[in-house]
Amino acid sequence: MARRPLPRILSSGSASITRSREFARTAADSATDVLHPLIMITRGLRLLAGAGRQKWAATPKDRRGPTLFLVAACVLVVALIPYGPLLALVMVMGAAAWKGRERTPVKTGPDEAETGRLQALYEALVPYFSTADDPSPLFTHGGDWDKVFSAYEFDGNGRISSLRVTYPAYFTDSEAASRARIEQLLHAKSGRGREYLFSWDEEGNQLVMNVLDPLPTTLTAQRFVTAPGETVLGFTDDDAVQRTVPVSDGDETRDAPGVVWRTGARSTEPHLLIAGQPGSGTTTLLRSIALQSLQHGDILIIEGSGTGEYACFTGREGVLAVECGLAGALSTLEWAASETERRLIEANRARQSGQAAPEDIRRPLWILLDRPSVLGHLAAADGGPDPQELLQVPLRHGRAANVTVVMTEQFDSLDGLSDTVRSHTRARVVLGHCSPGQIESVLGLEPHTTPTPDAPPGRGYARLGTGQVLRIQVPATPDPYDDATSEAQRRAVLDLLPERRTAVEASRPEPVMADPVTASVAVEGLALSD
């Protein structure tokens, strides 16, 4: 049986209805555009009237009479002045238009994309924060993420920038491996390429994750406001240290949180070890320390790489020697060991006689070594002594003799450091991109932040003794004789260098030595007093 066709009115009705809806919608939009000023003013008048009612309701009853009298007087004055009512009407319409303008709606919760990110992160944490024996688990597949994510923030790209997670009490948050798994997961799911800070609250069973802003790299070498015996290694986060240092950043002066290392007789970390990859900024930090130490002391520079990175210090006041070769380095270290013993003897004599220490032994002596492992290989090939053996006396007794040793070394040569160097260089700095395992091997503790894959020169971590691990950015202190150095940075370094000596000594002055028995007694006595 053939199907009968539908009536024409039924087949074409849907098209007519669609056109009618489009016409009505267009007319409504046009009317809204035309009447938009009137709608805005009406909305503003309504808001002004509501505000007036609230103000009247909040006015005490004993003050309502004077308020009405004041309003009536104002209305009378406006009515009597020329064009007063017209001006009053214009002002009321303007205030209503301003009050009734459309405002950007305040965001009260995550949008659809952000909700999807939070739900995906919640599902990823389920295997780590749940067990089959939990009668009421916080984390379940398909559960509500808002029960465990009590606070969260997103950046402009829609990625999580701050998150507070509540986890069950049976999670083994006291184990480093368990915490590392959670931190690695949150790092991967929240977006790589950023540096995260994880704060664990074991008592409250909460984990707070925050994205850290990159440390500024615009600070250059300058004269820092510090006391004698204090050295600014770099700058860190605002809430990491309690002390700030005035710095010049471009054309402005501000206070920056500095990582201050203290040396001298009362220092608990008298020597420093700097580790990093090539190009990470270890030479920059050593050059910065040399410029600061020249304010109150003398320095010896021994460069194992032999690239001439410290040629700008040659012949300057307070620079006793700048050695690049093996023979000169060994003789300089032998002199430094003898000078340390001499200082110990003089300090012991002054202590026994009840007098103050002489001025020449109170002036700090800095021994700066850049990559001594290279010199150690050369000495082993020639059959000579390792330069690290000559550092035993300055390392062990340098604090009492006011002698400070600073060493830089690359990661691939850290195994060649002697036990004496490792045990006496308790102030450590790690620069450049490196894994958490490498940072822990040098600092003795993993950082609370995730290292970034692209670290600028001078960026790393520092730990002074048994303190906490701090992020650090070393002030830019390039070689002023390098062609790649900008004019501003070159001038900043040259202005900090002391004047050149008018006459260069023909030979290094020999230290005043005492008999071996007196020297040994002085060394042993001061070692016991330490």
Side-chain angles (χ1 to χ4, degrees), residues 393-404:
V393 174
L395 286 173
R396 291 177 177 175
H397 309 290
R399 184 168 67 89
N402 215 359
V403 177
T404 303

Side-chain angles (χ1 to χ4, degrees), residues 174-233:
S174 60
E175 300 178 2
S178 300
R179 294 197 303 268
R181 287 194 297 267
I182 301 300
E183 293 175 1
Q184 183 180 5
L185 174 64
L186 293 176
H187 180 202
K189 292 296 183 180
S190 301
R192 299 184 183 274
R194 301 182 295 175
E195 195 163 6
Y196 295 86
L197 173 65
F198 297 96
S199 302
W200 290 84
D201 182 10
E202 290 86 353
E203 295 181 352
N205 299 322
Q206 289 188 347
L207 168 62
V208 178
M209 180 191 72
N210 291 311
V211 176
L212 298 175
D213 296 330
L215 296 176
T217 58
T218 56
L219 296 178
T220 58
Q222 54 193 278
R223 191 71 68 192
F224 299 112
V225 181
T226 56
E230 294 181 344
T231 304
V232 177
L233 300 180

